Structures are given as C-alpha cells and as structure tokens.
Amino acid sequence: MLDLSKYISPGDGVWWSQLGAEPEPLVHALLDQLDEIEPIRAFVGITWNERLLQDLRPSLGLVSYGALGGLRSIKEAGRLSVIPCNYSSLPRLFAAGRLPSDVGLVQVSPPDSNGLCSLGIGVDYVADAIAHTRTLIAEINARMPPTSGTPRIPLSRFSAVVETDRPLTNAPRYKVGDVERQIARHVATLVEDRDTIQVGVGVLPEAVMEALTSHRDLGFHSGTVSEGILDLVDCGAVTGAFKEINRGKIVTGSAQGGAKLYNRIHELPIEFKPASYTHSSQVLGNLRSFVSINSAIEVDLTGQVGSEIRRGVYVGAVGGQADFSRAGASTGARSIIALRSTWHGESNIKPALESGVVTTPRSDIDFLVTEYGVAELRGCDVDERVRRIANIAAPEHRDQLAQSIAKR
C-alpha cells in the first residue's frame, strides 16, 4: 500500500477527481491511513464511493460545490460543507486557495510513448486545480481511455503513482417514466436543427436526449456527457457540423455512464475541456445557437428557479445551471428550465420559492416546461409570467395558485 504520510501532512487540503474518474484506490488508502495524518480537509464533486459514504471520520472534513450523488446522505448527516458557487467559479477558487489544494488525487490513462498521461473522462475542475496544487498522486488505470482537448500530464509531475487495471465506476441508471417523456417531448419542440445544446444531469436530461433523435446536425457543449449521447451520434442527430466554434466536436468536461459509453469514448468526436473553458462566459458567448436545458426542484410564479434545497435539506447544487442559462438567454438562442409539475403530491410551481434560495434568476429563463405544456417567458412582464406559469402547473393545484395570484 502506498504510504500517503510521505506526501500528505496533518492539516493539508486534499482534492480528488469526481464521477467515474474518482481514484478510489487512493481515496481508500487515505481513509485507511487517516489516523496517521489527520486532520484533513477534502474537496470532491460527485461521488458514488460507498466506502467513503460509510467510513467518513470526524477528522476528514468534506467540502463540495453541491450535495450530488452520494454526498446527499453526507450532507443530511451534517458532515458536508457546501459552497454555493457557479461551476465557472471553481477555477478561480482553486487559484485563490479558497478550496483545498495542497494535494491532488487523480486517475489517469497509462502514459504514451512520450511519458504523458491523459486525464481521460475526468477533466472538468481537475485540469484547473492541478496548476495550483503542490503534490499530485496518480492512479494509472489501464482502462482509463486517453482523451483529447486538454494538455497531457508528464509522469514527472506525479510525486507517486499506483497502477491498476479496473473498470471505471458506473453511474447510477436513471429510470425514465411517462411524465419525463412528456416533458421531454415539449422540450424537443423548442430545439431547432443545428442548435448547440447543453443538458444537465438526471432523469429529465436523459429523457430530453431520447426525444431529440429526430433532430439533425445538433451541436453539443455541456459540463458532462452521458450514455444518451451515443444514440444521438449514431442516428445523426448530433454532428456539430454547424457549431460556431469546436466545429464537429462534442465538448464536455467529464463523462458519466457505464462500460457502453466508456468503451466508445475513443471513437467519438469528443474533446474533454476544463471548467475554465466549458463554463466560460467568453467561450459560450461565441455559440450564438446555444440552447441550455436544465431541470429544477421548484420554480415560483415569476420564473425564479430553485435547484438546491427541498424541504429544508440541501439535495442539489448551483453547478453550471446559472452559467449555461445566462448564456442561453443572453448570447445564445434560448434557455429552458424543465421540471415535473409535482413531487409527492406537492406542486413544484409555488407562489414563492419554498427554500427562499434562488439558483437561477428569472431574467435568465426564456421557457419553462412541465408535462402540461410550455410557458414562454421572454419579453413578458411579471403579471403575464405569473399567468403563463400557472397555466402549466398541475390542474389540481391551479386553484390554489390562482388564489395567490389574486392576493398579488
């Protein structure tokens, strides 16, 4: 076992890669040796690491940009600190030392003939953090596919390495239901051939990607890519042939899926870029045909979007939603928020946000979509927005919403 005490000192800040690129053997070694090097403050994005979730010690303080994946249960237990920031802010926070960055744990591909390793499917915030990290430790996984789009890392940059040959971690499978498919059909009517789309993460984005297979020559620029991209490429829906920049290329920061996706990464026209590129307002401003498609937990009657808190519990993230929605609404083609009209019998459209937290302001939303239809909001005053949004709420909640409108 690698002796991490040679590289990590008590009080150090550690970060590691997220999603399928998480270097689990290194994280597990950290947990095994924590008693020798505690306390540690660590940053991680989305994780499905069961060992981490079940063996979290008081001496390991976790911080993240949200409570996604397995971090939701850690947040509910009061063991996670969430920094409510736009994803585009992560590079700057690492540069300023506001996030743990003494030691970085990464998973990379085997070195090429020049001794250079690729970050594979986990570029996102990692590529930006590396420049501000004292010590890098790598898991060199024989099954991590090398990818293009970001400079590779010389072996000499790593203070220590471990070699593995293990499958990449699979993302949980989302079960798309009839309601999600109906919402997705509405969303698909708002996407035109040759648009460049961004989709979020979760069951609704998966349904949206299913609904876009009849489109042609779409571009793709998003924070992450899932298995839904395979069908869109195979049927000719996504070609990127008319993108204003990165023409012909799928641009993303990370991939989350299973072997079906990971085994085909090498054959896709895909570039993995850091967050400083994928979420940059300057970059997004060049995509005049950009359409952002994101989901939400709740929306109020004026179009304010809440995507972080439900019933007082932090279960989401700001993530890239505000970055992409603003680009879609201001410099791109359009921004779309899609959500189910209800959750456990409660309306997700509310007179005011129940959480009190606005993730994305109403000024950055062009269209709101539920299974009951589409509300176009751009160019509407507040009163018209209220009427249009109430019309796509669940029928059983419309009377109550009408009463709140009357009180306004």
Side-chain angles (χ1 to χ4, degrees):
M1 179 186 294
L2 181 65
D3 183 3
L4 292 177
S5 65
K6 295 180 180 179
Y7 312 101
I8 305 175
S9 302
D12 272 353
V14 180
W15 60 259
W16 59 79
S17 310
Q18 64 177 341
L19 300 166
E22 182 173 348
E24 290 189 359
L26 296 178
V27 176
H28 296 170
L30 177 63
L31 294 174
D32 290 337
Q33 301 171 46
L34 193 57
D35 292 341
E36 303 168 24
I37 53 179
E38 61 184 16
I40 295 296
R41 183 170 179 254
F43 176 90
V44 65
I46 304 174
T47 179
W48 310 301
N49 189 334
E50 291 296 331
R51 170 78 191 281
L52 175 67
L53 305 182
Q54 297 170 6
D55 192 25
L56 187 61
R57 319 278 185 80
S59 54
L60 178 62
L62 281 185
V63 59
S64 184
Y65 60 83
L68 302 171
L71 291 181
R72 179 177 300 184
S73 62
I74 295 179
K75 178 60 177 173
E76 290 176 353
R79 302 292 306 281
L80 174 72
S81 297
V82 172
I83 297 175
C85 64
N86 293 322
Y87 207 86
S88 60
S89 298
L90 292 180
R92 184 173 63 177
L93 293 175
F94 276 113
R98 301 299 298 172
L99 294 175
S101 56
D102 297 303
V103 180
L105 310 178
V106 297
Q107 184 183 167
V108 298
S109 69
D112 61 17
S113 58
N114 296 314
L116 301 176
C117 299
S118 167
L119 288 169
I121 64 167
V123 174
D124 44 59
Y125 61 75
V126 173
D128 292 307
I130 284 175
H132 310 288
T133 301
R134 179 195 73 215
T135 302
L136 277 185
I137 302 173
E139 174 197 357
I140 301 177
N141 186 353
R143 304 196 203 185
M144 173 62 81
T147 58
S148 62
T150 298
R152 299 191 177 190
I153 307 170
L155 272 174
S156 59
R157 178 67 173 88
F158 302 125
S159 299
V161 301
V162 297
E163 296 186 27
T164 63
D165 185 352
R166 65 178 182 87
L168 303 181
T169 304
N170 290 343
R173 297 298 299 268
Y174 297 108
K175 185 177 181 180
V176 177
D178 293 339
V179 173
E180 287 80 18
R181 289 192 175 92
Q182 181 59 41
I183 296 170
R185 283 192 286 269
H186 290 313
V187 171
T189 66
L190 302 175
V191 178
E192 299 177 1
D193 290 347
R194 303 185 179 184
D195 281 342
T196 293
I197 62 169
Q198 171 269 326
V199 294
V201 178
V203 63
L204 261 178
E206 288 299 312
V208 168
M209 294 178 76
E210 287 182 7
L212 291 173
T213 53
S214 62
H215 284 62
R216 287 295 174 265
D217 290 321
L218 297 174
F220 192 91
H221 182 114
S222 198
T224 190
V225 64
S226 64
E227 288 189 356
I229 195 67
L230 298 177
D231 290 338
L232 292 178
V233 170
D234 290 344
C235 74
V238 167
T239 66
F242 295 90
K243 290 179 70 177
E244 294 87 351
I245 56 174
N246 307 118
R247 184 159 293 180
K249 298 294 185 180
I250 297 164
V251 173
T252 191
S254 61
Q256 57 169 313
K260 179 181 177 182
L261 174 63
Y262 302 147
N263 291 340
R264 291 189 59 188
I265 288 293
H266 70 282
E267 67 183 59
L268 295 176
I270 189 168
E271 290 188 344
F272 285 80
K273 300 280 192 181
S276 55
Y277 186 91
T278 56
H279 292 69
S280 163
S281 59
Q282 289 81 8
V283 171
L284 294 170
N286 292 314
L287 293 168
R288 310 301 296 182
S289 59
F290 185 70
V291 179
S292 67
I293 306 168
N294 292 283
S295 52
I297 293 173
E298 58 175 346
V299 177
D300 77 9
L301 282 172
T302 71
Q304 303 274 48
V305 179
S307 299
E308 300 166 69
I309 298 171
R310 188 187 293 280
R311 290 184 175 176
V313 178
Y314 206 107
V315 297
V318 176
Q321 182 181 112
D323 296 318
F324 292 133
S325 293
R326 174 152 295 182
S330 59
T331 57
R334 64 201 73 89
S335 69
I336 302 166
I337 291 291
L339 76 166
R340 294 178 63 115
S341 65
T342 62
W343 183 79
H344 289 196
E346 296 181 4
S347 178
N348 288 330
I349 295 176
K350 305 176 185 297
L353 294 182
E354 187 177 89
S355 66
V357 175
V358 177
T359 303
T360 301
R362 61 193 182 188
S363 54
D364 290 338
I365 307 304
D366 291 327
F367 294 90
L368 182 66
V369 181
T370 72
E371 66 268 36
Y372 293 103
V374 176
E376 182 173 2
L377 306 180
R378 57 185 176 183
C380 296
D381 64 20
V382 172
D383 288 342
E384 182 61 24
R385 280 172 165 257
V386 168
R387 287 190 291 271
R388 292 188 178 197
I389 293 174
N391 284 339
I392 62 168
E396 64 270 25
H397 294 288
R398 290 177 189 172
D399 287 346
Q400 182 179 0
L401 291 171
Q403 293 175 13
S404 69
I405 293 172
K407 291 179 181 179
R408 290 174 60 88

